């Protein structure tokens, strides 16, 4: 989760950019092994599209956690992504009321992908907790590209 200082920094930044700035929240994860034990690295991002016409600023963090999914079915890890992005949204909710916000989930509704098994559960969770209709692949760029780049180390983030 973002630290209190990071949340404060985000809120200050949002106060400094125009009200037309759009916000996109997403999360991605990657499973890895270290000394015979399995972990999952999660990257949560907030993409601020400045005034909806200029560039963007990306806030993000990595966290490494034990991964107990021994049979390599990604359901638990995918739902953890959903929980983490909802947690970020809720920590910023008071500052997001007058802004256009999208939540992007790294799940694919196409049945040929394993993540399709959690699409209904993930969408329902975000709708129920955040009252936002989330975007899923292929329309979930904050998760599929921004968070994916962070989790794969293509840009530097602090790991907790």
């Amino acid at each position: 989760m973002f630290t209190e200082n990071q949340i404060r920094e985000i809120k200050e930044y949002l106060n400094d950019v125009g009200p037309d700035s759009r916000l996109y929240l997403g999360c991605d994860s990657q499973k890895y092994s270290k000394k015979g034990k399995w972990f999952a690295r999660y990257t949560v991002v907030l993409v601020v599209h400045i005034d909806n016409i200029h560039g963007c600023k990306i806030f993000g963090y990595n966290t490494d956690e034990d991964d107990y999914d021994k049979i390599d079915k990604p359901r638990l890890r995918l739902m953890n992504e959903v929980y983490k992005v909802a947690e970020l949204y809720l920590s910023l909710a008071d500052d997001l009321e007058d802004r256009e916000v999208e939540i992007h989930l790294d799940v694919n509704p196409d049945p040929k992908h394993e993540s399709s098994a959690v699409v209904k559960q993930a969408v329902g969770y975000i709708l129920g907790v955040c009252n936002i209709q989330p975007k899923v692949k292929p329309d979930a760029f904050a998760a599929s590209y921004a968070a994916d780049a962070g989790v794969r180390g293509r840009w530097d983030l602090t790991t907790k």
Side-chain angles (χ1 to χ4, degrees), residues 28-87:
D28 195 12
S29 63
Q30 183 174 3
K31 190 172 179 175
Y32 68 93
S33 176
K34 185 176 180 181
K35 296 182 181 178
K37 189 172 179 180
W38 285 99
F39 296 89
R41 171 164 290 158
Y42 295 91
T43 298
V44 181
V45 298
L46 167 66
V47 179
V48 181
H49 187 195
I50 303 164
D51 298 325
N52 197 32
I53 56 171
H54 300 295
C56 70
K57 178 165 177 70
I58 302 174
F59 295 89
Y61 76 91
N62 284 333
T63 184
D64 293 339
E65 299 176 11
D66 288 340
D67 187 29
Y68 300 104
D69 193 359
K70 305 284 189 245
I71 56 174
D72 200 29
K73 299 283 186 193
R75 291 181 180 103
L76 177 60
R77 192 164 35 91
L78 289 168
M79 286 308 298
N80 280 337
E81 292 176 15
V82 174
Y83 304 146
K84 289 176 184 304
V85 77
E87 186 177 4

Side-chain angles (χ1 to χ4, degrees), residues 23-27 82 85-86 89-90 101-105 126-127 129-136 139-140 142-143:
L23 310 176
Y24 307 94
L25 292 80
C27 184
V82 174
V85 77
Y89 175 83
L90 293 174
V101 178
E102 291 183 9
I103 294 178
H104 293 186
L105 304 178
I126 294 298
L127 273 169
V129 172
C130 304
N131 197 29
I132 291 179
Q133 177 69 46
K135 304 273 187 183
V136 298
D139 301 318

Side-chain angles (χ1 to χ4, degrees), residues 99-112:
R99 297 190 180 272
E100 187 171 330
V101 178
E102 291 183 9
I103 294 178
H104 293 186
L105 304 178
D106 193 36
V107 294
N108 195 323
D110 186 333
K112 70 181 178 183

